[in-house]
Structure formats: structure tokens, C-alpha cells
Amino acid sequence: MSDATGKVALVTGGSRGIGKACVLALADQGFDIVINYASNQAAAAEVEEAVKAKGRQALAVQGDVSSSESAQHLVDEAVNRFGRLDVLVNNAGVTRDTLMIRMKDEDWDKVIETNLSGAFYTTRAAAKVMMKQRSGSIVNITSISGIYGNPGQVNYAASKAGMIGMTKASAKELASRNITVNAVAPGFITTDMTESIDTSKVLDHIPLGRIGTPEDIANAVVFLVTSGHYITGQVLQVDGGLVL
Ligand code: NAP
């Protein structure tokens, strides 16, 4: 039986891709899971069933994290159902890629509000619960784009760089309550988000010689929340060496 049995994890954007892999990997560790999604209810229901099939409890909750009310509702649902919250994975994210001079205000706003404000609203709500518990782990899914920049992604890179600043500041604020806050920065991972990108061009730049899988990211998240008790404020790049 895992140490995490009886503990509770909330994964935003847990219905697909990296979020789904995090949900399943955390369930394997013994966590009961709250699976947040924005609109794809069928995908979320499938993940909920997969968690239950592993013998853990699961609750799928619709909510747009870019609304502070929805983010608060998510955390409230977790506490109402399970009575505690041990892990938050801020994974929900979107892209609206285009060159800066063509970028519309709404492309900028949508990405900043979902990726950065969404992580802030959810962290703020979760931190109140974790501070009372005097324990917790928060993992923010950022991106190598937020560290190194990427043309066509001014909005996305800014949101992900913002998440890194938030990770470090909140790590310092919450450390005295035994709460760790870290970030995982994926490189190129096969999901719906990247399906339109030509992988052959990227592959030449990845020393480990393959595109990443959602499970590669989930493994890093599991490590941080189950074994990383003395790690906080860090950004762990999981990219096959792409930006070495
Ligand atoms: P994905 O396959 O497109 O899945 C996105 C997930 O986020 C879905 O579950 C979606 O819910 C949810 N979501 C979107 N907007 C939301 C909102 N406003 N509120 C709540 N949930 C929302 O994406 P992914 O590739 O797994 O990416 C996951 C995270 O990793 C993102 O933060 C992304 O920026 C980051 N990342 C990805 C890569 C990569 O190569 N894939 C690289 C670096 C970083 P629905 O199912 O309801 O739509």
C-alpha cells in the first residue's frame, strides 16, 4: 500500500494529455483524485472511470480555471468530497500561437488568463486548505518556452515565465507551513496540443532521440509530490535534453 493512500490530489485539465497521465500516475500512488476539465465531459468521465478501476476514488469537476469563482469551487468540491487536499497540479493550459505583430488582444488575454491567472486562482484557493493542514505539494506545469522563449508564442512564453515567478514566490511564502511548490517544464510532448506540429524537425534537436510522452511528465510530478519533501521553488526540465 502506498504512502499516499487516503491523500487527495487535484489536477486541473486532468481530462486529456499530460493532465490525464498525472491523474493516472497519482492514482497508482494511492491518491484519490479530483479531475478538473473545461468542456470535454466525455474525456473526463473516462478518466474518472479509469481511476476508479485502480481502486481509488475519483471526482470529475467541470470548471474554467480562468474564473476565480470556478477555481475556488474546484477546491471547495475537493474538500467537501474528500475532507482534505494534499496535492495540486496546475496543468490546465492553452496555446494561441501566432507571430506577435499579428497577435490579437484576445489571443494574449486567453492564454494569460488560463495559464497564469488560472494557476494563481487555483493555488490561492488550495493554499488556504494546505496551510491549515500544515502540509501540501503544488506542481505548476510550465514549459521550456517560458524559460527560453519561442517565436510565435509571446503570449504562451509570458504565461509560462509568469508561472515560474509565481512558483518561486509562493514556495517562499508557503515553506513555513510545510508546503512545497515546484514547476515542471516539459519540452516537446505528444498530446492534442502538439498534434499539428511536424515532429521530424524537432527530433533532430532532442539528444535522447524521441518525443516525450505524457507519462514522462507524470513521472516527474509523482517524484516531486511523493519524494521531493526537501525540494521547493525549483523548475525541473523534462525535455530529453532539448535545451541542453
Ligand atoms: P491538452 O492535451 O490540450 O489538454 C489540455 C487540458 O487542459 C484539457 O484537459 C483541457 O480540458 C484543459 N483545459 C484547457 N483550458 C482549461 C480551462 N480554462 N480550465 C480548465 N481546464 C482547461 O494539453 P497538454 O499538451 O496535455 O498540456 C498540458 C499542460 O502542459 C499545459 O499547461 C501545457 O501548456 C503544458 N505543456 C505542454 C507541452 C506539450 O508539448 N504538449 C509542452 C510544454 C508544456 P478539456 O478536455 O475539457 O478541453
Side-chain angles (χ1 to χ4, degrees):
M1 206 176 269
S2 160
D3 282 342
T5 303
K7 291 189 172 178
V8 179
L10 162 59
V11 181
T12 68
S15 50
R16 292 186 285 121
I18 291 169
K20 174 182 175 180
C22 290
V23 166
L24 298 178
L26 289 165
D28 283 338
Q29 295 297 312
F31 287 94
D32 296 322
I33 319 271
V34 178
I35 303 148
N36 158 250
Y37 66 101
S39 56
N40 194 335
Q41 205 241 334
E46 214 171 279
V47 179
E48 192 179 12
E49 287 313 308
V51 172
K52 288 179 183 165
K54 290 175 184 291
R56 314 268 48 115
Q57 299 185 72
L59 176 67
V61 182
Q62 192 282 329
D64 176 353
V65 293
S66 69
S67 144
S68 69
E69 291 79 17
S70 294
Q72 182 65 54
H73 173 70
L74 259 183
V75 170
D76 291 346
E77 286 281 294
V79 174
N80 289 343
R81 169 71 183 269
F82 297 115
R84 56 185 297 117
L85 182 59
D86 300 283
V87 166
L88 167 64
V89 183
N90 281 311
N91 164 80
V94 292
T95 51
R96 292 287 183 278
D97 294 355
T98 189
L99 292 176
M100 183 171 59
I101 56 169
R102 291 189 200 134
M103 192 173 283
K104 296 188 172 69
D105 292 356
E106 50 266 36
D107 296 328
W108 172 266
D109 291 343
K110 175 78 181 173
V111 171
I112 297 291
E113 284 165 12
T114 305
N115 301 3
L116 181 56
S117 303
F120 164 65
Y121 297 142
T122 315
T123 298
R124 182 177 58 185
K128 290 176 190 162
V129 179
M130 292 176 176
M131 284 170 84
K132 279 193 200 131
Q133 281 172 192
R134 296 198 169 265
S135 69
S137 298
I138 299 170
V139 180
N140 294 320
I141 307 297
T142 175
S143 166
I144 55 167
S145 182
I147 307 173
Y148 301 97
N150 198 25
Q153 291 200 313
V154 161
N155 50 358
Y156 184 78
S159 73
K160 295 299 186 180
M163 286 179 89
I164 291 172
M166 198 178 81
T167 299
K168 294 179 182 183
S170 51
K172 287 183 174 178
E173 279 195 23
L174 299 174
S176 65
R177 306 298 173 96
N178 192 31
I179 299 165
T180 61
V181 188
N182 291 289
V184 170
F188 193 93
I189 309 299
T190 305
T191 68
D192 295 343
M193 188 179 269
T194 50
E195 69 180 352
S196 62
I197 297 171
D198 180 2
T199 53
S200 61
K201 286 184 188 140
V202 190
L203 258 182
D204 290 344
H205 301 283
I206 303 177
L208 282 178
R210 67 173 176 86
I211 303 295
T213 64
E215 290 72 27
D216 289 320
I217 306 307
N219 288 340
V221 170
V222 164
F223 163 68
L224 287 169
V225 305
T226 60
S227 311
H229 307 300
Y230 200 56
I231 303 173
T232 198
Q234 301 304 303
V235 184
L236 179 56
Q237 288 180 204
V238 183
D239 64 359
L242 178 60
V243 289
L244 263 179

